[in-house]
Amino acid sequence: MRGSAARRRRTFSGARFASTTTRPTVARTTVALLTTAAVLASGGCLGGSDDASHPGGSGNSKRPAAKPGLPWNTSPDSIASLGDSITRGFDACSVLADCPEVSWSTGTEVNSLARRLLPAASRSATRSWNYAKTGAVMADLSGQIQSAVTRKPQLVTILIGANDACRSSVDDMTPTADFRAEFSSALKTLRHDLPKTQVYVASVPDLKRLWSEGRKNVLGRQIWKLGICPSMLKDSDATDPAAEERRRRVEDRVDEYNATLKAVCAQDVLCRYDDAVHNYRFSADELSKWDWFHPSKEGQQQLAAMAYRRITAR
């Protein structure tokens, strides 16, 4: 963030439309479209949240590193998940709603990371917690960490950054320097309070790939016109030089975010960065049928599988 200036998070939503042409279906489609339009009127990317101020941090301040020599535990017995609407399972079960029960990290209705890692007796609210928030940007991560440290989890998962790139225009994207300062400050908070807690950091998804896949669906393109991630998805059919340049700038910024996540994480012996999420080519079945952008239940399970492979690697 710029100093202590307030950052406005966007609302990211969608709607599902049936393919039949009966009058009742058309009526329901119209109602869904109008409902979605009303929600998107407040601006839109990956979920909504109220305005708040976020103090900036110094990217040059020293972060206390994890104690040297601590081995990586491939079987942690408690998990706290942090991030944005992806980790909240937004639009995976119904339109304009979180569905944390199918979250890739702590969900109970998919083969989530918690279900893969924790013994059956530990898969409860006493051993796994979801502090992610729909609409969160990197500046919100420190607050989520402050909530998580009270639980003293053995593993913290982080998937955040898409909203920093999904803005009303490319000029509104979070500057990379601010992104780094905010991430460094958040990890400093975590490491100070939880010196032995392991951290899994997922890469920011490939937004251009999501545009490329989602634009194949005519209904998806119509929903995107209501304001979903405008920096990337606006005028989704346009291939003129200006549109291509806009998408390239978003793509480049996401690459910069991921390079930042990797570099900062590498300074901590108990932090593992994973580029698999950005490299994964989500299929149509793995995208929400409500907005053709968020992961569906199938997509959430793919995220869980990627995280499990990285966390359990020896």
Side-chain angles (χ1 to χ4, degrees), residues 14-312:
R16 183 178 184 178
F17 299 92
S19 59
T20 58
T21 57
T22 59
R23 290 185 178 179
T25 300
V26 172
R28 286 194 298 272
T29 298
T30 301
V31 171
L33 182 61
L34 292 175
T35 300
T36 304
V39 174
L40 288 168
S42 60
C45 271
L46 289 169
S49 58
D50 297 331
D51 288 344
S53 295
H54 306 284
S58 172
N60 296 322
S61 61
K62 293 183 178 180
R63 295 187 301 107
K67 295 181 178 179
L70 286 176
W72 180 270
N73 178 10
T74 58
S75 301
D77 68 3
S78 56
I79 300 174
S81 57
L82 315 178
D84 53 33
S85 55
I86 296 176
T87 302
R88 292 298 298 174
F90 186 80
D91 267 2
C93 303
S94 59
V95 65
L96 307 180
D98 289 347
C99 191
E101 56 267 32
V102 302
S103 169
W104 65 273
S105 184
T106 56
T108 57
E109 295 183 7
V110 295
N111 194 16
S112 66
L113 185 62
R115 290 180 65 87
R116 295 166 191 255
L117 286 176
L118 305 182
S122 299
R123 296 173 194 161
S124 67
T126 63
R127 306 307 299 169
S128 62
W129 310 274
N130 191 328
Y131 290 105
K133 186 174 181 180
T134 293
V137 292
M138 183 56 79
D140 297 310
L141 184 59
S142 286
Q144 293 183 18
I145 285 177
Q146 289 170 1
S147 298
V149 296
T150 61
R151 302 290 188 175
K152 295 184 166 67
Q154 288 193 359
L155 174 68
V156 167
T157 68
I158 299 173
L159 200 175
I160 198 168
N163 285 323
D164 291 271
C166 271
R167 313 302 285 178
S168 58
S169 73
V170 292
D171 293 332
D172 292 330
M173 294 187 295
T174 302
T176 304
D178 292 351
F179 188 88
R180 183 186 184 95
E182 291 156 359
F183 184 48
S184 296
S185 176
L187 284 193
K188 180 179 180 179
T189 297
L190 185 148
R191 192 53 67 210
H192 178 270
D193 294 335
L194 300 174
K196 297 182 180 180
T197 290
Q198 298 175 163
V199 184
Y200 166 80
V201 179
S203 48
V204 180
D206 186 344
L207 301 182
K208 190 171 183 180
R209 165 64 187 171
L210 295 177
W211 161 76
S212 178
E213 183 63 31
R215 68 192 292 262
K216 298 175 184 177
N217 188 292
V218 63
L219 296 179
R221 295 198 302 271
Q222 293 303 312
I223 289 174
W224 290 353
K225 291 180 180 179
L226 299 176
I228 297 175
C229 194
S231 55
M232 175 59 74
L233 304 182
K234 179 183 177 182
D235 300 327
S236 59
D237 284 329
T239 57
D240 58 276
E244 293 293 343
E245 172 64 11
R246 168 170 51 81
R247 295 187 193 107
R248 185 196 62 76
R249 289 180 62 187
V250 177
E251 182 180 32
D252 288 349
R253 186 60 56 87
V254 169
D255 287 343
E256 292 172 6
Y257 290 165
N258 283 329
T260 295
L261 294 174
K262 182 177 182 179
V264 173
C265 185
Q267 299 173 25
D268 191 318
V269 69
L270 290 182
C271 183
R272 286 191 176 184
Y273 170 77
D274 191 0
D275 61 4
V277 176
H278 183 265
N279 293 336
Y280 187 73
R281 298 176 66 83
F282 285 92
S283 68
D285 289 339
E286 292 161 349
L287 297 179
S288 167
K289 295 305 183 290
W290 304 104
D291 59 37
W292 287 270
F293 196 65
H294 280 95
S296 64
K297 290 181 181 179
E298 291 78 7
Q300 291 282 344
Q301 294 199 133
Q302 289 297 330
L303 291 172
M306 287 181 258
Y308 181 76
R309 285 193 293 269
R310 184 71 176 108
I311 290 167
T312 59

